[in-house]
Amino acid sequence: MDECQSDIPAHDGDLHVVAAAHHIVKALGTTKNLSDDLRKILIDLDAHLSLITSNIDSKGGKGFVEVEERLKRVERKIVIWESDQIMIWDSGPKEASDYLEAVDEVQTLIDSLRGLSMNENQKQKELLHRASSLLQMAMSRLEEELIHMLVKHKQQPESTYMPSPSSQTNVVYNESVVSLDNDSAKEASSKNSCSEKCGEYIFDLVPEHVIPDIKSIAKVMFASDYGQEFCEAFIGVRKEALEQHFDILKNGKLSIEDVLKMEWCSLSTEMNKWTWSMKIIFRVYLMSEKRLCDQVLGEFGSVNSFCFLEIAKTTILCLLNFGEAIAMGPQEPEKLLRLLDMYETLADLVIDIDALFSEDGGSFVRLEFHKLLEGLADSVKAAFNAFGVAVSSNGSLYPFPGGGVHPLSKYVMNYISMFPEYCSTLNLLLEDQHSDVASLVSEPQCVPTASLSTSCPMACHLRSITSSLESNLHNKSKLYKDEALQHIFLMNNLHYMVQKVKGSELRPFFGDEWIRKHNAKFQQHEMNYERVTWSSVVLLLKDDNPGSSSLSKSAFKEKCKGFSIAFEEVYKNQTSWCIPDPQLREDLRISTSLKVVHAYRTFLGRNPAHVDDKCIKHTVEDVEKLLLDLFEGSPRSLRNSRRMMKT
């Protein structure tokens, strides 16, 4: 007797039991409130009971007739779609449902046939082969349907979350160019760009109504042991979509070698893109991708996290490679703000990264990003120290023309004016160097009793940098041969430093005492300028005989001549000198005028009898007007002075 016939009931009572069981299964199958898993169990049981009944009726000879008929029916339903170019799910829900039912029927038949003992039954083998081939055909079609569905319904995030990072000023010090002015300083930090708008934002990668269709394909393919094929198709489409999103953010797939060879201008742009892309990729795309994976694959255990990791891996490696290249590269001062942006961005995202890749399979992602965060922290400290060294060691062979505000002063003050935005980060990263720097800065703000703002690590480092700047400026002032111009140069630069501190968020970190002290410094240089320049000129007008009422005409004429020569020499030199700040320039002109014009008017008033065009070259009004030409930075001679132009 064949083994397949051993399952046939031997007595009439057994036959009734099989019939009753078959009837119960059919009745249960009509119930609407059944889970998918229970419904499949009933379908499988129904098929197996049908085989037993078929075997009973045929006495084992024609036991697979009904199976073959059922196979033919589902075969027609599946094969007909192979010649149809229209996608099944595009044809409507009924067609999709019918197709899935047909696939379920094929799988049921396969399970039932495999559940019987073969015992060299050729018919059974033939049916099993036909059913398996049909199932493979259906799985290929479902894979195509899945890919089509994912591609067709792929959605982009709202345009609000897709702007490119704003163009940023590249902060580079150059002796011949003022690389950072007031306006560009506000742009140089990406913290002021639109990237701050990017918070967590989960959007639908595919429309909500499509998810059940994708899940229905997943369930059938996993139930048929084609889960790997489903995952490969799902990963392929979603991975490509994520990489397209990454390309939209205009991130180049750069190797570590490419990054290390880049010029600073290009590298700065790429660093800015990285901070923006990290926020978009993790806070928008990957969180949305994780939700899609949970929706589709949440009931399949570790398959879910595996697929998500495979989808994200290439993009994540690109971001990691760039960050690692930056961390291992040379840390020049101009990189500091970009490095701070990168560090703060990653520090802000670490919690999200840990949550997204919390499973064991994602442990390497968590580990690598934590290592990168440490590397960026070291890079920030190295670049900050390099910035301080660059300020103190910046040398010049020639004096800066006109004695105006040196580019180094502008570079340093505008650069550090952006540091308060990074106060918390810098305080954290500079804490281990705080005591060393505080001991070098003698100002009282660094003592323990000072306010939190003025005594924090960043504040002491800032005052250390400006102290180095002052020292450097004093060295640069010695390049001027004219002592008066030395004082103009130092007055200009110290005044500029004070104004930058007073007019920015630096003020709390420097404190009012620092401002008062440096106000006194530049005012002292203003007084020293007047002493060096005008004291000797005014001295020429001094009366040699205080007791006499007036000078002789020859003595008067000689003093007028000496004054005119000295005044014209000052005029010739100092019209080319520069005081860029209008208020400071006006204050110095008024102070000079009060001293010089008053002395000249007094001198002429004591000798009214000798005042005529033959004796005096410049009237009091002439001197007042000529003083207005000083410090404009445009060399003048008396021939093109205000007076000569008027005449």
Side-chain angles (χ1 to χ4, degrees), residues 362-600:
S363 60
F364 86 93
V365 175
R366 303 194 304 270
L367 179 62
E368 289 302 316
F369 273 111
H370 280 273
K371 284 170 57 180
L372 177 57
L373 186 64
E374 293 177 7
L376 289 174
D378 292 338
S379 297
V380 168
K381 288 186 278 189
F384 197 96
N385 290 334
F387 176 57
V389 170
V391 172
S392 60
S393 62
N394 178 268
S396 299
L397 296 176
Y398 305 100
F400 184 66
V405 179
H406 198 278
L408 180 64
S409 299
K410 293 186 177 182
Y411 168 72
V412 171
M413 297 309 298
N414 282 291
Y415 207 10
I416 67 173
S417 68
M418 290 177 282
F419 289 176
E421 294 185 51
Y422 303 93
C423 177
S424 298
T425 298
L426 286 172
N427 282 337
L428 174 67
L429 298 181
L430 300 175
E431 179 63 37
D432 58 343
Q433 306 170 17
H434 178 42
S435 57
D436 295 337
V437 174
S439 65
L440 297 175
V441 182
S442 59
E443 289 146 6
Q445 287 88 347
C446 283
V447 300
T449 56
S451 70
L452 290 177
S453 294
T454 55
S455 61
C456 68
M458 188 189 80
C460 289
H461 276 78
L462 290 182
R463 288 193 296 274
S464 175
I465 288 172
T466 55
S467 178
S468 296
L469 174 60
E470 284 184 60
S471 178
N472 192 308
L473 291 170
H474 274 90
N475 291 334
K476 283 177 167 48
S477 72
K478 295 174 183 176
L479 296 172
Y480 297 103
K481 295 180 180 179
D482 193 319
E483 184 183 355
L485 187 51
Q486 292 179 13
H487 292 298
I488 289 291
F489 175 76
L490 291 172
M491 178 194 70
N492 276 329
N493 284 272
L494 289 169
H495 178 267
Y496 180 82
M497 292 171 64
V498 170
Q499 294 304 112
K500 294 303 292 186
V501 169
K502 287 172 64 177
S504 72
E505 294 181 9
L506 290 171
R507 184 166 190 156
F509 300 97
F510 282 81
D512 291 340
E513 180 61 30
W514 185 95
I515 292 173
R516 284 192 291 271
K517 179 179 177 180
H518 285 75
N519 270 332
K521 284 185 179 181
F522 82 74
Q523 289 168 359
Q524 183 62 51
H525 286 295
E526 181 180 347
M527 293 171 58
N528 290 342
Y529 156 77
E530 292 180 354
R531 175 182 56 78
V532 171
T533 298
W534 296 111
S535 293
S536 57
V537 175
V538 171
L539 191 62
L540 295 171
L541 301 175
K542 185 178 180 181
D543 193 347
D544 295 330
N545 299 303
S548 61
S549 58
S550 63
L551 297 173
S552 65
K553 188 168 186 177
S554 61
F556 175 80
K557 188 173 182 180
E558 188 64 28
K559 282 187 175 290
C560 284
K561 181 180 179 182
F563 173 80
S564 296
I565 292 173
F567 181 84
E568 289 173 8
E569 183 65 24
V570 171
Y571 181 90
K572 176 184 174 183
N573 291 331
Q574 298 190 17
T575 51
S576 65
W577 294 3
C578 179
I579 299 179
D581 185 82
Q583 188 60 52
L584 183 61
R585 184 170 61 244
E586 184 64 19
D587 289 346
L588 189 56
R589 284 172 175 171
I590 291 172
S591 175
T592 300
S593 182
L594 288 174
K595 177 177 289 189
V596 177
V597 173
H598 174 73
Y600 191 46

Side-chain angles (χ1 to χ4, degrees), residues 224-284:
S224 303
D225 292 329
Y226 278 78
Q228 181 177 346
E229 286 75 6
F230 178 90
C231 290
E232 288 175 355
F234 184 80
I235 290 169
V237 175
R238 293 310 314 154
K239 181 179 178 181
E240 182 179 353
L242 178 57
E243 290 179 2
Q244 287 175 353
H245 294 323
F246 193 60
D247 291 339
I248 290 172
L249 296 174
K250 299 180 180 179
N251 284 269
K253 293 179 174 61
L254 302 168
S255 68
I256 291 178
E257 292 75 16
D258 292 334
V259 175
L260 293 175
K261 292 177 183 177
M262 291 182 75
E263 296 292 331
W264 165 237
C265 185
S266 300
L267 183 60
S268 174
T269 300
E270 293 300 324
M271 291 170 77
N272 190 36
K273 287 181 186 177
W274 187 89
T275 59
W276 170 247
S277 297
M278 283 288 290
K279 295 174 183 179
I280 292 293
I281 292 297
F282 283 98
R283 287 264 168 84
V284 180

